[in-house]
Amino acid sequence: MKGKEHILYSEEAIKERVGEMGKAIDAYYNGKEVLVIGLLRGSFVFCSDLVRAMESKMEIDFMTTSSYEDEFSSSGDVKLFSDLRADVKGRDVLIVDDIIDTGHTLETVVKSIRALEPASVKTAVMLDKPSRREVDFSADFTGFTIDDVFIVGYGLNYGPYYRNKPYIYTYED
Ligand code: 5GP
Ligand code: MG
């Protein structure tokens, strides 16, 4: 990658924070079984670390969401491609995403899950950009709160690439 990478959160910092989040989420569910739903593709790295930092008994499933018209700006028109295998009715659901930006994605997903009559719905995100919010929505569990900068790595893409970078960074041309 040409240009300059600026690391915001190192692999070690992420590991520490995800560990804390796992403990906080376990404490919240307090022995109850959880249905974890990861939102693809961005949350695949965070979700896999988070579930391994948790001890709650859980089922893990995924949904695909897509909101970007182009690579860098959210359209607000969120597309859900649901291939849920789990039965949601009566379950305690934890939705996991990489980042909450405008809030449209999580708001839309929560609404669609609620329609399936779960016992409860909570949300966990690695990153939060509150200054970008367009809807009144906040996550229940948040890793790091950041300014309005475009983030890459730890599951987050730059075009089709760099989701595999183990740290969270910004990129300047
Ligand atoms: P929202 O619907 O909250 O605006 O956006 C949520 C989705 O937009 C995230 O799940 C993520 O896929 C994408 N997104 C938001 N901000 C960033 C960012 O800084 N970098 C990348 N790579 N994707 C982002
Ligand atoms: Mg996403």
Side-chain angles (χ1 to χ4, degrees):
M1 193 189 232
K2 292 200 188 90
K4 241 172 121 186
E5 282 184 14
H6 172 67
I7 296 182
L8 284 187
Y9 300 105
S10 66
E11 213 175 334
E12 294 71 33
I14 294 169
K15 190 172 185 343
E16 188 180 338
R17 186 69 189 117
V18 173
E20 291 169 357
M21 291 180 79
K23 286 200 176 71
I25 294 170
D26 277 341
Y28 172 78
Y29 286 107
N30 191 27
K32 275 198 282 187
E33 183 178 321
V34 190
L35 170 58
V36 174
I37 300 178
L39 304 185
L40 300 173
R41 298 187 164 66
S43 81
F44 84 105
V45 175
F46 172 50
C47 192
S48 72
D49 283 347
L50 183 66
V51 295
R52 287 178 294 169
M54 290 169 61
E55 290 177 356
S56 301
K57 184 177 180 188
M58 65 178 72
E59 184 175 349
I60 304 170
D61 208 336
F62 298 95
M63 286 172 82
T64 295
T65 61
S66 161
S67 66
Y68 275 22
E69 274 171 342
D70 55 57
E71 293 302 336
F72 304 105
S73 61
S74 188
S75 63
D77 173 25
V78 180
K79 293 176 185 66
L80 298 187
F81 305 92
S82 178
D83 176 36
L84 278 182
R85 317 235 164 127
D87 206 356
V88 171
K89 191 167 179 162
R91 308 284 294 279
D92 290 297
V93 176
L94 178 70
I95 297 166
V96 177
D97 206 359
D98 48 1
I99 184 166
I100 177 166
D101 186 33
T102 64
H104 289 296
T105 300
L106 276 180
E107 187 185 51
T108 304
V109 171
V110 165
K111 217 178 268 174
S112 85
I113 294 296
R114 280 202 202 288
L116 303 173
E117 299 176 26
S120 69
V121 185
K122 294 285 167 187
T123 54
V125 295
M126 189 63 217
L127 297 158
D128 183 5
K129 282 194 232 176
S131 65
R132 296 254 311 158
R133 207 74 92 247
E134 292 176 6
V135 294
D136 183 19
F137 192 94
S138 56
D140 299 291
F141 303 95
T142 300
F144 301 114
T145 299
I146 56 170
D147 293 332
D148 180 11
V149 284
F150 191 79
I151 298 299
V152 190
Y154 200 63
L156 289 138
N157 58 312
Y158 182 86
Y161 299 120
Y162 308 118
R163 293 187 191 274
N164 60 307
K165 294 274 187 175
Y167 44 87
I168 293 171
Y169 65 103
T170 59
Y171 177 73
E172 289 162 35
D173 281 314

